[in-house]
């Protein structure tokens, strides 16, 4: 049994991306504004922690899923998710949420973090803190599930990495007018 209780920045970004895609699955009439903030949080963490290809993979995944959700909002066409969203077996418990909040706070406090990035990270920390179960952490009635969840997040990133090329092809085929446009390069 693993006793690790903290996420790596890559695991934290994967969790934020996963939760963002889960949120996109509930979209009916418009994409919530927080989706872009969550994407920017992944972009910021990726840049500050120099996540390289892992960060790019997660940003590409988010861009594809946001484009698919926008397509649904615009014309009702529902595209499949890049990966099975039921794959991750557990949700973050209060301790895992708190670990993510502290990572976001720690990143916002770094000297290289610009003021607008700080605002995004603090907004993301606020969103994470509003998830269910934080009161249990403060009452010390739960044990962290970070180790098991981190293992699932690493496997999830591997699945996204493997599925991304085929997903891009599918999106390009189904949206020919946008096939030649690429998402804007992340601002770091």
């Amino acid at each position: 049994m693993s006793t690790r209780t903290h996420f790596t920045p890559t695991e934290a970004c994967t969790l934020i991306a996963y939760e963002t895609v889960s949120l996109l699955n509930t979209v009916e009439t418009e994409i919530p504004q927080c989706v872009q903030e969550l994407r920017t949080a992944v972009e910021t963490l990726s840049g500050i922690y120099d996540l390289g290809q892992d960060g790019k993979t997660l940003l590409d995944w988010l861009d594809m899923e946001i484009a698919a959700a926008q397509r649904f909002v615009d014309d009702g066409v529902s595209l499949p998710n890049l990966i099975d969203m039921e794959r991750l077996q557990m949700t973050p418990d209060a301790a895992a949420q708190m670990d993510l909040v502290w990572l976001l706070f720690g990143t916002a406090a770094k000297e290289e973090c610009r003021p607008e990035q700080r605002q995004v990270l603090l907004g993301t920390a606020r969103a994470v803190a509003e998830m269910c179960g934080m009161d249990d952490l403060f009452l010390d009635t739960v044990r962290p599930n970070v180790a098991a969840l981190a293992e699932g997040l690493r496997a999830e990133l591997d699945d996204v990495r493997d599925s991304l090329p085929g997903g891009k092809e599918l999106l390009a085929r189904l949206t020919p007018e946008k096939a030649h446009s690429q998402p804007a390069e992340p601002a770091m």
Side-chain angles (χ1 to χ4, degrees), residues 5 7 19-20 35 37 54 73 108 118 135 150-151 156 170 184:
T5 58
F7 288 126
E19 293 298 333
T20 304
V35 166
E37 184 172 88
D54 289 341
V73 167
R118 277 189 188 93
D135 54 343
E151 185 178 316
E156 180 124 333
L170 175 64

Side-chain angles (χ1 to χ4, degrees), residues 20 34-43 59 62-63 66 184 186:
T20 304
C34 68
V35 166
Q36 189 57 45
E37 184 172 88
L38 293 168
R39 187 211 178 274
T40 303
V42 171
E43 181 179 350
L59 290 169
L62 284 172
D63 290 341
I66 291 168

Side-chain angles (χ1 to χ4, degrees), residues 90-109:
M90 69 180 60
T91 58
D93 65 11
Q97 292 170 35
M98 196 61 168
D99 184 61
L100 181 54
V101 167
W102 283 119
L103 181 96
L104 292 166
F105 283 161
T107 305

